[in-house]
PDB file of all heavy atoms in Angstrom:
ATOM      1  N   LEU A  50      -8.281   5.543 -12.820  1.00 97.00           N
ATOM      2  CA  LEU A  50      -6.822   5.532 -12.862  1.00 97.00           C
ATOM      3  C   LEU A  50      -6.290   5.918 -14.246  1.00 97.00           C
ATOM      4  O   LEU A  50      -5.200   6.493 -14.361  1.00 97.00           O
ATOM      5  CB  LEU A  50      -6.293   4.152 -12.478  1.00 97.00           C
ATOM      6  CG  LEU A  50      -6.360   3.778 -10.995  1.00 97.00           C
ATOM      7  CD1 LEU A  50      -6.052   2.302 -10.800  1.00 97.00           C
ATOM      8  CD2 LEU A  50      -5.380   4.628 -10.174  1.00 97.00           C
ATOM      9  N   LYS A  51      -7.055   5.618 -15.281  1.00 96.00           N
ATOM     10  CA  LYS A  51      -6.623   5.901 -16.654  1.00 96.00           C
ATOM     11  C   LYS A  51      -7.216   7.204 -17.201  1.00 96.00           C
ATOM     12  O   LYS A  51      -6.814   7.659 -18.281  1.00 96.00           O
ATOM     13  CB  LYS A  51      -7.038   4.749 -17.569  1.00 96.00           C
ATOM     14  CG  LYS A  51      -6.428   3.409 -17.177  1.00 96.00           C
ATOM     15  CD  LYS A  51      -7.036   2.275 -17.997  1.00 96.00           C
ATOM     16  CE  LYS A  51      -6.477   0.924 -17.585  1.00 96.00           C
ATOM     17  NZ  LYS A  51      -7.142  -0.195 -18.303  1.00 96.00           N
ATOM     18  N   ASP A  52      -8.148   7.797 -16.488  1.00 97.00           N
ATOM     19  CA  ASP A  52      -8.906   8.950 -16.980  1.00 97.00           C
ATOM     20  C   ASP A  52      -8.123  10.246 -16.744  1.00 97.00           C
ATOM     21  O   ASP A  52      -7.812  10.601 -15.606  1.00 97.00           O
ATOM     22  CB  ASP A  52     -10.259   9.008 -16.256  1.00 97.00           C
ATOM     23  CG  ASP A  52     -11.241   9.954 -16.917  1.00 97.00           C
ATOM     24  OD1 ASP A  52     -10.801  10.932 -17.561  1.00 97.00           O
ATOM     25  OD2 ASP A  52     -12.460   9.731 -16.779  1.00 97.00           O
ATOM     26  N   LYS A  53      -7.815  10.974 -17.809  1.00 95.00           N
ATOM     27  CA  LYS A  53      -7.052  12.213 -17.696  1.00 95.00           C
ATOM     28  C   LYS A  53      -7.848  13.339 -17.039  1.00 95.00           C
ATOM     29  O   LYS A  53      -7.285  14.403 -16.761  1.00 95.00           O
ATOM     30  CB  LYS A  53      -6.562  12.647 -19.078  1.00 95.00           C
ATOM     31  CG  LYS A  53      -5.545  11.681 -19.674  1.00 95.00           C
ATOM     32  CD  LYS A  53      -5.043  12.159 -21.018  1.00 95.00           C
ATOM     33  CE  LYS A  53      -4.012  11.174 -21.602  1.00 95.00           C
ATOM     34  NZ  LYS A  53      -3.513  11.623 -22.923  1.00 95.00           N
ATOM     35  N   ARG A  54      -9.140  13.099 -16.795  1.00 97.00           N
ATOM     36  CA  ARG A  54      -9.935  14.100 -16.082  1.00 97.00           C
ATOM     37  C   ARG A  54      -9.719  14.020 -14.574  1.00 97.00           C
ATOM     38  O   ARG A  54     -10.299  14.822 -13.819  1.00 97.00           O
ATOM     39  CB  ARG A  54     -11.421  13.915 -16.398  1.00 97.00           C
ATOM     40  CG  ARG A  54     -11.793  14.199 -17.846  1.00 97.00           C
ATOM     41  CD  ARG A  54     -13.256  13.880 -18.104  1.00 97.00           C
ATOM     42  NE  ARG A  54     -13.531  12.453 -17.887  1.00 97.00           N
ATOM     43  CZ  ARG A  54     -14.754  11.918 -17.927  1.00 97.00           C
ATOM     44  NH1 ARG A  54     -15.811  12.699 -18.161  1.00 97.00           N
ATOM     45  NH2 ARG A  54     -14.920  10.624 -17.736  1.00 97.00           N
ATOM     46  N   PHE A  55      -8.878  13.094 -14.130  1.00 98.00           N
ATOM     47  CA  PHE A  55      -8.531  12.992 -12.716  1.00 98.00           C
ATOM     48  C   PHE A  55      -7.022  13.134 -12.574  1.00 98.00           C
ATOM     49  O   PHE A  55      -6.254  12.624 -13.389  1.00 98.00           O
ATOM     50  CB  PHE A  55      -8.977  11.641 -12.143  1.00 98.00           C
ATOM     51  CG  PHE A  55     -10.464  11.491 -12.030  1.00 98.00           C
ATOM     52  CD1 PHE A  55     -11.204  10.975 -13.089  1.00 98.00           C
ATOM     53  CD2 PHE A  55     -11.124  11.879 -10.879  1.00 98.00           C
ATOM     54  CE1 PHE A  55     -12.576  10.834 -13.002  1.00 98.00           C
ATOM     55  CE2 PHE A  55     -12.501  11.739 -10.771  1.00 98.00           C
ATOM     56  CZ  PHE A  55     -13.239  11.221 -11.834  1.00 98.00           C
ATOM     57  N   GLY A  56      -6.600  13.842 -11.535  1.00 97.00           N
ATOM     58  CA  GLY A  56      -5.178  14.041 -11.294  1.00 97.00           C
ATOM     59  C   GLY A  56      -4.853  13.953  -9.826  1.00 97.00           C
ATOM     60  O   GLY A  56      -5.622  13.421  -9.021  1.00 97.00           O
ATOM     61  N   LYS A  57      -3.713  14.514  -9.475  1.00 95.00           N
ATOM     62  CA  LYS A  57      -3.233  14.482  -8.092  1.00 95.00           C
ATOM     63  C   LYS A  57      -3.508  15.770  -7.341  1.00 95.00           C
ATOM     64  O   LYS A  57      -3.667  15.753  -6.122  1.00 95.00           O
ATOM     65  CB  LYS A  57      -1.724  14.194  -8.087  1.00 95.00           C
ATOM     66  CG  LYS A  57      -1.366  12.774  -8.477  1.00 95.00           C
ATOM     67  CD  LYS A  57      -1.686  11.808  -7.345  1.00 95.00           C
ATOM     68  CE  LYS A  57      -1.096  10.443  -7.597  1.00 95.00           C
ATOM     69  NZ  LYS A  57      -1.193   9.560  -6.418  1.00 95.00           N
ATOM     70  N   GLN A  58      -3.516  16.895  -8.069  1.00 93.00           N
ATOM     71  CA  GLN A  58      -3.707  18.195  -7.436  1.00 93.00           C
ATOM     72  C   GLN A  58      -4.930  18.886  -8.026  1.00 93.00           C
ATOM     73  O   GLN A  58      -5.226  18.737  -9.220  1.00 93.00           O
ATOM     74  CB  GLN A  58      -2.474  19.076  -7.662  1.00 93.00           C
ATOM     75  CG  GLN A  58      -1.180  18.523  -7.083  1.00 93.00           C
ATOM     76  CD  GLN A  58      -1.149  18.584  -5.581  1.00 93.00           C
ATOM     77  OE1 GLN A  58      -1.828  19.404  -4.958  1.00 93.00           O
ATOM     78  NE2 GLN A  58      -0.360  17.709  -4.966  1.00 93.00           N
ATOM     79  N   PRO A  59      -5.668  19.660  -7.220  1.00 95.00           N
ATOM     80  CA  PRO A  59      -6.812  20.399  -7.769  1.00 95.00           C
ATOM     81  C   PRO A  59      -6.345  21.500  -8.714  1.00 95.00           C
ATOM     82  O   PRO A  59      -5.281  22.101  -8.515  1.00 95.00           O
ATOM     83  CB  PRO A  59      -7.479  20.996  -6.520  1.00 95.00           C
ATOM     84  CG  PRO A  59      -6.369  21.109  -5.518  1.00 95.00           C
ATOM     85  CD  PRO A  59      -5.471  19.921  -5.779  1.00 95.00           C
ATOM     86  N   LEU A  60      -7.121  21.741  -9.752  1.00 95.00           N
ATOM     87  CA  LEU A  60      -6.799  22.822 -10.669  1.00 95.00           C
ATOM     88  C   LEU A  60      -7.125  24.164 -10.024  1.00 95.00           C
ATOM     89  O   LEU A  60      -8.000  24.246  -9.149  1.00 95.00           O
ATOM     90  CB  LEU A  60      -7.595  22.654 -11.963  1.00 95.00           C
ATOM     91  CG  LEU A  60      -7.261  21.409 -12.807  1.00 95.00           C
ATOM     92  CD1 LEU A  60      -8.144  21.375 -14.054  1.00 95.00           C
ATOM     93  CD2 LEU A  60      -5.788  21.391 -13.197  1.00 95.00           C
ATOM     94  N   PRO A  61      -6.420  25.233 -10.425  1.00 95.00           N
ATOM     95  CA  PRO A  61      -6.701  26.559  -9.863  1.00 95.00           C
ATOM     96  C   PRO A  61      -8.178  26.906  -9.986  1.00 95.00           C
ATOM     97  O   PRO A  61      -8.796  26.697 -11.024  1.00 95.00           O
ATOM     98  CB  PRO A  61      -5.829  27.490 -10.718  1.00 95.00           C
ATOM     99  CG  PRO A  61      -4.706  26.628 -11.195  1.00 95.00           C
ATOM    100  CD  PRO A  61      -5.307  25.268 -11.408  1.00 95.00           C
ATOM    101  N   GLY A  62      -8.732  27.411  -8.898  1.00 96.00           N
ATOM    102  CA  GLY A  62     -10.143  27.790  -8.870  1.00 96.00           C
ATOM    103  C   GLY A  62     -11.061  26.711  -8.340  1.00 96.00           C
ATOM    104  O   GLY A  62     -12.250  26.960  -8.132  1.00 96.00           O
ATOM    105  N   THR A  63     -10.513  25.503  -8.118  1.00 96.00           N
ATOM    106  CA  THR A  63     -11.342  24.409  -7.596  1.00 96.00           C
ATOM    107  C   THR A  63     -10.869  23.945  -6.210  1.00 96.00           C
ATOM    108  O   THR A  63     -11.426  23.012  -5.648  1.00 96.00           O
ATOM    109  CB  THR A  63     -11.325  23.190  -8.547  1.00 96.00           C
ATOM    110  OG1 THR A  63     -10.017  22.598  -8.562  1.00 96.00           O
ATOM    111  CG2 THR A  63     -11.703  23.601  -9.960  1.00 96.00           C
ATOM    112  N   GLU A  64      -9.853  24.589  -5.654  1.00 94.00           N
ATOM    113  CA  GLU A  64      -9.277  24.155  -4.377  1.00 94.00           C
ATOM    114  C   GLU A  64     -10.288  24.168  -3.240  1.00 94.00           C
ATOM    115  O   GLU A  64     -10.156  23.388  -2.276  1.00 94.00           O
ATOM    116  CB  GLU A  64      -8.089  25.035  -3.988  1.00 94.00           C
ATOM    117  CG  GLU A  64      -6.950  25.034  -4.998  1.00 94.00           C
ATOM    118  CD  GLU A  64      -7.055  26.180  -5.985  1.00 94.00           C
ATOM    119  OE1 GLU A  64      -8.187  26.654  -6.227  1.00 94.00           O
ATOM    120  OE2 GLU A  64      -6.009  26.605  -6.510  1.00 94.00           O
ATOM    121  N   HIS A  65     -11.305  25.046  -3.338  1.00 94.00           N
ATOM    122  CA  HIS A  65     -12.282  25.165  -2.249  1.00 94.00           C
ATOM    123  C   HIS A  65     -13.111  23.903  -2.051  1.00 94.00           C
ATOM    124  O   HIS A  65     -13.751  23.738  -1.014  1.00 94.00           O
ATOM    125  CB  HIS A  65     -13.220  26.352  -2.512  1.00 94.00           C
ATOM    126  CG  HIS A  65     -14.043  26.213  -3.759  1.00 94.00           C
ATOM    127  ND1 HIS A  65     -13.517  26.395  -5.025  1.00 94.00           N
ATOM    128  CD2 HIS A  65     -15.358  25.897  -3.936  1.00 94.00           C
ATOM    129  CE1 HIS A  65     -14.457  26.217  -5.921  1.00 94.00           C
ATOM    130  NE2 HIS A  65     -15.587  25.903  -5.297  1.00 94.00           N
ATOM    131  N   ARG A  66     -13.086  23.010  -3.033  1.00 94.00           N
ATOM    132  CA  ARG A  66     -13.859  21.773  -2.908  1.00 94.00           C
ATOM    133  C   ARG A  66     -13.047  20.643  -2.264  1.00 94.00           C
ATOM    134  O   ARG A  66     -13.575  19.567  -2.024  1.00 94.00           O
ATOM    135  CB  ARG A  66     -14.370  21.326  -4.277  1.00 94.00           C
ATOM    136  CG  ARG A  66     -15.366  22.308  -4.909  1.00 94.00           C
ATOM    137  CD  ARG A  66     -16.190  21.639  -5.984  1.00 94.00           C
ATOM    138  NE  ARG A  66     -17.171  22.566  -6.531  1.00 94.00           N
ATOM    139  CZ  ARG A  66     -17.124  23.092  -7.755  1.00 94.00           C
ATOM    140  NH1 ARG A  66     -16.136  22.752  -8.571  1.00 94.00           N
ATOM    141  NH2 ARG A  66     -18.049  23.925  -8.172  1.00 94.00           N
ATOM    142  N   MET A  67     -11.785  20.885  -2.008  1.00 93.00           N
ATOM    143  CA  MET A  67     -10.962  19.885  -1.341  1.00 93.00           C
ATOM    144  C   MET A  67     -11.354  19.815   0.137  1.00 93.00           C
ATOM    145  O   MET A  67     -11.729  20.830   0.741  1.00 93.00           O
ATOM    146  CB  MET A  67      -9.485  20.242  -1.466  1.00 93.00           C
ATOM    147  CG  MET A  67      -8.927  20.073  -2.867  1.00 93.00           C
ATOM    148  SD  MET A  67      -8.666  18.340  -3.304  1.00 93.00           S
ATOM    149  CE  MET A  67      -7.182  17.978  -2.374  1.00 93.00           C
ATOM    150  N   PRO A  68     -11.280  18.629   0.750  1.00 89.00           N
ATOM    151  CA  PRO A  68     -11.606  18.511   2.177  1.00 89.00           C
ATOM    152  C   PRO A  68     -10.649  19.330   3.029  1.00 89.00           C
ATOM    153  O   PRO A  68      -9.451  19.446   2.708  1.00 89.00           O
ATOM    154  CB  PRO A  68     -11.472  17.015   2.459  1.00 89.00           C
ATOM    155  CG  PRO A  68     -10.637  16.478   1.359  1.00 89.00           C
ATOM    156  CD  PRO A  68     -10.926  17.326   0.157  1.00 89.00           C
ATOM    157  N   ALA A  69     -11.159  19.896   4.110  1.00 79.00           N
ATOM    158  CA  ALA A  69     -10.343  20.748   4.967  1.00 79.00           C
ATOM    159  C   ALA A  69      -9.143  20.007   5.529  1.00 79.00           C
ATOM    160  O   ALA A  69      -8.083  20.591   5.762  1.00 79.00           O
ATOM    161  CB  ALA A  69     -11.194  21.307   6.113  1.00 79.00           C
ATOM    162  N   SER A  70      -9.269  18.713   5.727  1.00 70.00           N
ATOM    163  CA  SER A  70      -8.190  17.930   6.338  1.00 70.00           C
ATOM    164  C   SER A  70      -6.961  17.820   5.453  1.00 70.00           C
ATOM    165  O   SER A  70      -5.881  17.514   5.932  1.00 70.00           O
ATOM    166  CB  SER A  70      -8.682  16.521   6.678  1.00 70.00           C
ATOM    167  OG  SER A  70      -9.154  15.857   5.510  1.00 70.00           O
ATOM    168  N   VAL A  71      -7.092  18.078   4.152  1.00 68.00           N
ATOM    169  CA  VAL A  71      -5.944  17.971   3.255  1.00 68.00           C
ATOM    170  C   VAL A  71      -5.700  19.242   2.456  1.00 68.00           C
ATOM    171  O   VAL A  71      -4.758  19.316   1.686  1.00 68.00           O
ATOM    172  CB  VAL A  71      -6.115  16.797   2.263  1.00 68.00           C
ATOM    173  CG1 VAL A  71      -6.175  15.485   2.998  1.00 68.00           C
ATOM    174  CG2 VAL A  71      -7.329  16.982   1.378  1.00 68.00           C
ATOM    175  N   SER A  72      -6.520  20.255   2.650  1.00 46.00           N
ATOM    176  CA  SER A  72      -6.413  21.444   1.806  1.00 46.00           C
ATOM    177  C   SER A  72      -5.133  22.227   2.046  1.00 46.00           C
ATOM    178  O   SER A  72      -4.714  23.005   1.198  1.00 46.00           O
ATOM    179  CB  SER A  72      -7.623  22.365   2.048  1.00 46.00           C
ATOM    180  OG  SER A  72      -7.671  22.782   3.408  1.00 46.00           O
ATOM    181  N   ASP A  73      -4.490  22.009   3.237  1.00 47.00           N
ATOM    182  CA  ASP A  73      -3.278  22.773   3.517  1.00 47.00           C
ATOM    183  C   ASP A  73      -2.000  22.019   3.175  1.00 47.00           C
ATOM    184  O   ASP A  73      -0.900  22.446   3.479  1.00 47.00           O
ATOM    185  CB  ASP A  73      -3.240  23.176   4.996  1.00 47.00           C
ATOM    186  CG  ASP A  73      -3.271  21.963   5.930  1.00 47.00           C
ATOM    187  OD1 ASP A  73      -3.565  20.860   5.446  1.00 47.00           O
ATOM    188  OD2 ASP A  73      -2.992  22.138   7.137  1.00 47.00           O
ATOM    189  N   VAL A  74      -2.145  20.859   2.528  1.00 46.00           N
ATOM    190  CA  VAL A  74      -0.961  20.088   2.149  1.00 46.00           C
ATOM    191  C   VAL A  74      -0.243  20.807   1.002  1.00 46.00           C
ATOM    192  O   VAL A  74      -0.858  21.183   0.008  1.00 46.00           O
ATOM    193  CB  VAL A  74      -1.349  18.660   1.723  1.00 46.00           C
ATOM    194  CG1 VAL A  74      -0.131  17.919   1.182  1.00 46.00           C
ATOM    195  CG2 VAL A  74      -1.948  17.908   2.899  1.00 46.00           C
ATOM    196  N   ASP A  75       1.071  21.000   1.151  1.00 48.00           N
ATOM    197  CA  ASP A  75       1.792  21.720   0.108  1.00 48.00           C
ATOM    198  C   ASP A  75       2.160  20.781  -1.040  1.00 48.00           C
ATOM    199  O   ASP A  75       2.074  19.580  -0.934  1.00 48.00           O
ATOM    200  CB  ASP A  75       3.055  22.389   0.677  1.00 48.00           C
ATOM    201  CG  ASP A  75       4.071  21.364   1.166  1.00 48.00           C
ATOM    202  OD1 ASP A  75       3.705  20.189   1.296  1.00 48.00           O
ATOM    203  OD2 ASP A  75       5.212  21.757   1.426  1.00 48.00           O
ATOM    204  N   ASP A  76       2.534  21.387  -2.144  1.00 48.00           N
ATOM    205  CA  ASP A  76       2.978  20.615  -3.303  1.00 48.00           C
ATOM    206  C   ASP A  76       4.413  20.178  -3.036  1.00 48.00           C
ATOM    207  O   ASP A  76       5.348  20.962  -3.127  1.00 48.00           O
ATOM    208  CB  ASP A  76       2.909  21.483  -4.565  1.00 48.00           C
ATOM    209  CG  ASP A  76       3.390  20.720  -5.794  1.00 48.00           C
ATOM    210  OD1 ASP A  76       3.730  19.534  -5.686  1.00 48.00           O
ATOM    211  OD2 ASP A  76       3.411  21.330  -6.859  1.00 48.00           O
TER     212      ASP A  76
END
Side-chain angles (χ1 to χ4, degrees):
L50 286 169
K51 300 172 182 175
D52 194 332
K53 294 182 180 180
R54 294 175 298 174
F55 291 89
K57 289 286 191 170
Q58 299 289 335
L60 295 179
T63 68
E64 300 94 334
H65 62 285
R66 296 200 177 110
M67 289 285 284
S70 58
V71 297
S72 60
D73 59 347
V74 174
D75 65 347
D76 179 2

